Amino acid sequence: MVLYAIKGDFIWTEDPSSFKYSADSYLIVQDGRFLKFSSSCPDCPILDYSGHLIIPGLSDLHLHAPQYAFMGLYMDDELLKWLDEHTFPEEAKYRDLSYAEKAYSIFVSDLLKTPTSRLSVFGTIHTDATLMLINKLESAGFSGYCGKVNMDRNSPPFLTESTSESIEETYRYLESCRTVNMKPIVTPRFIPSCSDELLSELGRIAVKYVLPVQSHLDENLSEIEWVKSLMPEAESYTDAYLRMGLIGKTPSIMAHAVWVTDDEIPILRNSGTFIAHSPSSNYNLSSGIAPVRKLLSEGVNTGLGTDVAGGSSLSILSVVRDAIAVSKLRWRLVDDSFKPLTLSEAFYMASKGGGSFFGKTGSFEEGYDADFSVLDESDIATPLSVSLSLPERLEIYISRSSEKAVKAKSIKGKIVHCSHQKE
Amino acid sequence: MVLYAIKGDFIWTEDPSSFKYSADSYLIVQDGRFLKFSSSCPDCPILDYSGHLIIPGLSDLHLHAPQYAFMGLYMDDELLKWLDEHTFPEEAKYRDLSYAEKAYSIFVSDLLKTPTSRLSVFGTIHTDATLMLINKLESAGFSGYCGKVNMDRNSPPFLTESTSESIEETYRYLESCRTVNMKPIVTPRFIPSCSDELLSELGRIAVKYVLPVQSHLDENLSEIEWVKSLMPEAESYTDAYLRMGLIGKTPSIMAHAVWVTDDEIPILRNSGTFIAHSPSSNYNLSSGIAPVRKLLSEGVNTGLGTDVAGGSSLSILSVVRDAIAVSKLRWRLVDDSFKPLTLSEAFYMASKGGGSFFGKTGSFEEGYDADFSVLDESDIATPLSVSLSLPERLEIYISRSSEKAVKAKSIKGKIVHCSHQKE
């Protein structure tokens, strides 16, 4: 039995309505899981982060690892043009494993420095590069899902598989994965990139291998029109996935749902689909603002995703900030029947809420995986600092801190990143 | 005659439509002004920033120095509640000069590390604390305007002056200023905080001392209704300032203009008023999205402001990013007759455009003040970096860099900040 305690100022959300916090406390970790808080010093080794803010591990429900190379660039276009002119040519480079090695090393190294513990990530169509990615994430200590992308139509020849090749390579990917904490996930890019034959075969593979599914849904108005023309028999974009067996059979994550309709919401709720809300991507690509409060109030599982590189930050805490910001604009400009998100609600989506896709992560409750980050608040100077409450410290950190200000990070009880450069 | 050259990769905008750039070049500085570019090494001392991106000095047209203490906090409220519950109690602390000393030292020190060279800043109602602020900014090398705030109604007793006190203290402030580069500016907080008697006297003071004016305009719908009820004879919020002699007589900056009407635009254009666009403040306080493209196309002078602490970043480059982001949402969700802002347009607003309020700053053209920042790109890792163009490097820097990543900054030819910690 491995037993130790962490000491510091803990803050977390057990439900969306409010923060829980415990200053200057000990949190006992047993065999990679949180056991309980203690106000007095326990009789075991102590990781002493006294005076530092500690948050539970955060979950990034949607991002594209190969796009990290150009994150922050080419933001003057909408989705479909952006895919054709920038994203597809960049993703094509991952056929070259030496490029993949270089790019994925940077991606994993930078991701380690953020508070993200769990992720569901897209690779490219290239099986070998995606195996490299999943292995790098596993070695770095991450937990979650990584998918080889499927695309057999409507993409440039240099980034298109034949239907049979796409299916065969998916089998090869699944059978080559030897990882434990990072698992494969079925990853049709989106309806326009995959033929009906490919989509329905991927649905069968998900069921056969008991694998979750990730894709994109209702991101952009032109995309939705395109899906209608490609599958006119489907009643909606959601229904298109439902018909192909890609939602409702196994767990799934659908990114965006910016333009989700009232008809789609019950299907998403009843199938337990998780929506990955990516506000930064949605404004960068001029997509719109997803009706997040409505999805939550209708009982649809909703978490956050950076959507690198539609989104321009690798930190899910930037997404927390952006989710609140755009919810205020939606309330003011689009629909005042749903109030803006509060900080605790958005933080819950990034932690326990989105984390529930992966299991028991994102909270300091007993039995939860010992995923946590110790925040580095050292570059935030204010004359108020002595009198700030823990929720105020978290709020100011989320607003002001740079991307990578994490002193230490643990996933499943193991320290995977430690930075004491500033001490 | 003082003559030296800067070496590096220069990027700037002479008009909003596109970037100009010059890689691996020398820019000659003579007596605090830019003279000309040279591709070969000139016969004078060289500040060698080879390989580093150099941008012209940026201008922050609107921020509140005393609010920096709580920047990033209390963002769950709208404007009027936020003022009453958080802003006014914090500003009241500046009666205590020891608190002001501590807080303004942090503010000036942090601002030095950003690319801002010119600013128009609000202090508080307290003359002595505001004199301390303007002196600190002057000593640090900044250039621009700093105002003692006037408030004689509708604020709590601990932050309200009598009308005569407000006028007398304004005179005392103006007559006590001994600064050269940082100049005083007439600063009625906004119509709700100032009686007609005070406003019209401030208008007369501006004319008598030939001083510019700064205030707030059309930020929030409830605020606009309130102004209507306070000055029912005015045809609009803009007309209220016009009647009081606060626009049109001397140069002025009005922050926000989120809900500006078609009737107000010609008054703003004809009076040469500068609008300070503060997108981050406007979403944080659920105010809305200002019609910036419309203001620009109608010929209204429009620059950017951080609006610390309605805005939650001290860096005007964050505002560049946010201005583009919200312009896309406005285009998609509110009014598709005005296209989103491009990067060069938003950068122009932050540099030469907004800078024209202060004189010749914000460009590398001959005769412009030698205001520039050398950017620190060292924490941006991408496999693409060798092949990036200068505009791409600037775009990725604006998206990814942390707040303070400036290696060196010059204002009027004098190096005011230098950070080589990472080398």
Side-chain angles (χ1 to χ4, degrees):
Chain A
M1 188 179 74
V2 179
L3 191 78
Y4 65 89
I6 325 154
K7 188 181 181 199
D9 299 333
F10 296 86
I11 184 162
W12 71 104
T13 46
E14 293 186 6
D15 64 67
S17 68
S18 64
F19 285 105
K20 296 226 169 198
Y21 48 99
S22 183
D24 202 28
S25 297
Y26 300 88
L27 177 55
I28 299 171
V29 175
Q30 186 180 48
D31 293 333
R33 294 208 169 84
F34 296 123
L35 187 63
K36 61 177 179 184
F37 281 101
S38 167
S39 54
S40 61
C41 185
D43 183 23
C44 63
I46 310 284
L47 292 178
D48 192 347
Y49 292 109
S50 295
H52 293 292
L53 206 55
I54 304 178
I55 60 171
L58 304 183
S59 289
D60 188 341
L61 290 185
H62 182 66
L63 73 168
H64 297 262
Q67 297 174 20
Y68 184 59
F70 66 88
M71 186 184 83
L73 281 178
Y74 318 128
M75 307 268 65
D76 280 347
D77 297 318
E78 274 192 82
L79 176 66
L80 300 178
K81 185 159 181 262
W82 175 81
L83 286 172
D84 280 340
E85 296 194 359
H86 304 292
T87 307
F88 292 159
E90 177 63 26
E91 289 195 11
K93 295 182 187 170
Y94 289 77
R95 179 180 301 277
D96 171 1
L97 285 178
S98 68
Y99 186 80
E101 166 67 35
K102 193 174 168 189
Y104 284 153
S105 295
I106 294 172
F107 169 73
V108 173
S109 166
D110 282 1
L111 189 67
L112 261 184
K113 297 169 196 154
T114 75
T116 296
S117 297
R118 308 296 174 107
L119 70 163
S120 189
V121 62
F122 282 54
T124 58
I125 60 169
H126 312 99
T127 303
D128 295 311
T130 308
L131 286 166
M132 179 191 283
L133 174 63
I134 196 171
N135 287 328
K136 280 185 183 293
L137 287 165
E138 174 89 6
S139 299
F142 286 104
S143 187
Y145 299 97
C146 175
K148 175 223 161 315
V149 175
N150 299 95
M151 305 167 71
D152 73 343
R153 66 172 177 183
N154 293 320
S155 45
F158 56 79
L159 196 72
T160 305
E161 312 158 296
S162 71
T163 307
S164 61
E165 186 187 6
S166 189
I167 293 165
E168 283 159 22
E169 286 294 300
T170 300
Y171 278 110
R172 184 163 81 83
Y173 177 68
L174 298 179
E175 286 162 10
S176 304
C177 280
R178 297 283 177 271
T179 46
V180 175
N181 290 310
M182 286 297 308
K183 293 174 187 147
I185 183 168
V186 173
T187 306
R189 182 169 210 118
F190 66 160
I191 301 273
S193 293
C194 302
S195 66
D196 288 7
E197 184 189 345
L198 177 56
L199 289 168
S200 54
E201 182 58 26
L202 291 173
R204 284 189 288 272
I205 289 174
V207 170
K208 181 176 165 192
Y209 284 78
V210 197
L211 291 176
V213 175
Q214 63 181 351
S215 197
H216 297 87
L217 176 71
D218 291 329
E219 179 174 1
N220 169 289
L221 293 171
S222 306
E223 171 212 18
I224 295 169
E225 285 306 306
W226 197 10
V227 170
K228 263 187 204 160
S229 71
L230 290 166
M231 208 185 286
E233 67 280 16
E235 286 166 27
S236 64
Y237 204 153
T238 299
D239 185 49
Y241 285 120
L242 190 68
R243 284 165 181 260
M244 299 293 120
L246 288 161
I247 63 174
K249 306 277 190 184
T250 63
S252 60
I253 297 173
M254 289 290 157
H256 305 304
V258 172
W259 298 99
V260 66
T261 61
D262 287 347
D263 292 344
E264 294 172 277
I265 288 176
I267 309 175
L268 295 169
R269 179 184 54 236
N270 298 336
S271 61
T273 301
F274 276 68
I275 298 300
H277 175 45
S278 297
S280 163
S281 171
N282 301 155
Y283 62 64
N284 281 329
L285 298 175
S286 302
S287 302
I289 303 174
V292 174
R293 163 83 64 199
K294 184 173 183 179
L295 289 168
L296 290 169
S297 69
E298 298 269 356
V300 178
N301 293 318
T302 310
L304 300 180
T306 57
D307 192 24
V308 169
S312 43
S313 166
L314 194 58
S315 168
I316 202 76
L317 287 181
S318 299
V319 182
V320 167
R321 185 189 59 202
D322 287 338
I324 297 168
V326 303
S327 76
K328 291 174 179 174
L329 291 176
R330 187 177 167 87
W331 171 74
R332 171 62 74 202
L333 300 172
V334 180
D335 180 1
D336 67 2
S337 57
F338 292 96
K339 283 188 187 168
L341 295 175
T342 65
L343 184 65
S344 67
E345 289 171 326
F347 187 82
Y348 178 85
M349 290 167 70
S351 53
K352 188 177 175 182
S356 64
F357 186 80
F358 303 98
K360 285 186 146 184
T361 179
S363 183
F364 290 136
E365 294 164 76
E366 185 179 346
Y368 273 63
D369 285 332
D371 299 346
F372 64 88
S373 290
V374 181
L375 305 184
D376 182 349
E377 301 160 90
S378 63
D379 66 349
I380 300 165
T382 157
L384 305 176
S385 47
V386 288
S387 57
L388 290 178
S389 68
L390 268 59
E392 287 172 340
R393 279 169 60 192
L394 180 64
E395 185 179 4
I396 207 166
Y397 176 90
I398 289 173
S399 288
R400 289 199 191 188
S401 78
S402 63
E403 294 288 281
K404 296 158 186 167
V406 169
K407 283 184 82 71
K409 179 162 80 173
S410 158
I411 302 174
K412 296 187 175 180
K414 186 185 155 204
I415 300 292
V416 298
H417 167 65
C418 189
S419 157
H420 294 268
Q421 296 154 338
K422 295 197 177 176
E423 292 204 326
Chain B
M1 188 178 75
V2 179
L3 191 79
Y4 65 89
I6 325 154
K7 188 181 183 201
D9 298 335
F10 296 86
I11 184 163
W12 71 104
T13 46
E14 294 187 6
D15 64 66
S17 67
S18 64
F19 285 105
K20 296 227 167 196
Y21 48 100
S22 183
D24 202 27
S25 297
Y26 299 88
L27 176 54
I28 298 172
V29 175
Q30 186 180 48
D31 293 333
R33 294 207 169 85
F34 296 123
L35 186 63
K36 60 177 178 181
F37 280 100
S38 166
S39 54
S40 61
C41 184
D43 182 24
C44 62
I46 310 283
L47 291 177
D48 192 346
Y49 292 109
S50 294
H52 293 291
L53 205 55
I54 304 178
I55 60 171
L58 304 183
S59 289
D60 188 342
L61 290 185
H62 182 66
L63 74 167
H64 297 261
Q67 297 174 19
Y68 184 59
F70 66 89
M71 187 184 82
L73 282 177
Y74 317 128
M75 306 266 67
D76 280 346
D77 297 318
E78 274 192 83
L79 175 67
L80 300 179
K81 186 159 180 262
W82 176 81
L83 286 172
D84 281 340
E85 296 193 359
H86 304 292
T87 306
F88 292 158
E90 178 62 25
E91 290 196 10
K93 294 182 189 172
Y94 290 75
R95 179 180 300 278
D96 172 1
L97 285 178
S98 67
Y99 186 80
E101 166 68 36
K102 192 173 167 188
Y104 284 151
S105 295
I106 294 171
F107 168 74
V108 173
S109 166
D110 282 2
L111 189 66
L112 261 184
K113 298 169 196 153
T114 74
T116 296
S117 297
R118 308 297 173 107
L119 70 163
S120 189
V121 61
F122 282 53
T124 58
I125 60 169
H126 311 100
T127 303
D128 295 311
T130 308
L131 285 167
M132 179 191 283
L133 174 62
I134 196 171
N135 287 327
K136 279 183 183 296
L137 288 164
E138 174 89 6
S139 298
F142 286 104
S143 188
Y145 298 97
C146 175
K148 173 225 162 315
V149 174
N150 299 94
M151 305 167 72
D152 72 342
R153 66 174 176 183
N154 293 319
S155 46
F158 55 80
L159 197 71
T160 305
E161 311 158 296
S162 69
T163 307
S164 61
E165 187 187 7
S166 189
I167 294 166
E168 283 159 23
E169 287 294 300
T170 301
Y171 278 110
R172 183 162 81 84
Y173 177 69
L174 299 180
E175 286 163 10
S176 304
C177 280
R178 298 281 177 275
T179 46
V180 175
N181 290 310
M182 286 297 308
K183 292 174 186 148
I185 183 168
V186 173
T187 307
R189 182 169 212 118
F190 65 160
I191 301 272
S193 293
C194 301
S195 65
D196 290 7
E197 184 188 346
L198 177 57
L199 290 168
S200 52
E201 182 58 27
L202 291 173
R204 283 189 288 271
I205 290 174
V207 171
K208 181 176 164 191
Y209 284 78
V210 197
L211 291 176
V213 175
Q214 62 181 351
S215 196
H216 297 86
L217 177 70
D218 291 327
E219 178 173 3
N220 169 289
L221 293 171
S222 306
E223 172 213 16
I224 294 169
E225 285 305 307
W226 197 11
V227 170
K228 263 186 204 161
S229 71
L230 290 167
M231 208 186 286
E233 67 279 17
E235 285 166 29
S236 66
Y237 204 154
T238 298
D239 184 48
Y241 285 119
L242 191 69
R243 284 166 181 260
M244 298 294 120
L246 288 161
I247 63 175
K249 306 278 190 181
T250 63
S252 61
I253 298 173
M254 290 289 157
H256 305 306
V258 173
W259 297 100
V260 66
T261 61
D262 287 346
D263 292 343
E264 294 172 277
I265 288 176
I267 309 175
L268 295 169
R269 178 184 56 236
N270 297 336
S271 61
T273 301
F274 275 68
I275 298 300
H277 175 45
S278 297
S280 162
S281 171
N282 300 156
Y283 61 65
N284 281 328
L285 298 175
S286 301
S287 302
I289 303 174
V292 174
R293 164 82 63 200
K294 185 173 182 178
L295 290 169
L296 290 168
S297 69
E298 298 269 355
V300 178
N301 293 317
T302 309
L304 300 180
T306 57
D307 193 22
V308 169
S312 42
S313 167
L314 193 58
S315 169
I316 203 76
L317 286 180
S318 299
V319 182
V320 167
R321 185 189 59 203
D322 287 338
I324 296 168
V326 303
S327 76
K328 291 173 178 174
L329 291 176
R330 185 176 170 88
W331 170 74
R332 172 62 74 202
L333 301 172
V334 180
D335 181 0
D336 67 2
S337 56
F338 292 96
K339 282 189 187 169
L341 295 174
T342 65
L343 185 65
S344 66
E345 289 172 326
F347 187 81
Y348 178 85
M349 290 167 71
S351 53
K352 187 177 174 182
S356 64
F357 186 80
F358 302 98
K360 286 186 145 187
T361 180
S363 183
F364 291 136
E365 293 163 77
E366 185 179 346
Y368 272 63
D369 285 331
D371 299 346
F372 64 87
S373 290
V374 181
L375 304 184
D376 182 349
E377 301 161 90
S378 62
D379 66 349
I380 300 165
T382 158
L384 304 177
S385 45
V386 288
S387 58
L388 290 179
S389 68
L390 268 57
E392 287 171 340
R393 279 168 61 192
L394 180 64
E395 184 179 5
I396 207 166
Y397 175 89
I398 289 173
S399 288
R400 290 199 188 188
S401 78
S402 63
E403 293 289 283
K404 297 160 188 166
V406 170
K407 284 184 83 70
K409 180 163 75 174
S410 159
I411 302 174
K412 296 187 175 179
K414 187 185 154 203
I415 300 291
V416 297
H417 166 67
C418 188
S419 157
H420 294 268
Q421 296 153 339
K422 294 194 176 177
E423 293 203 325

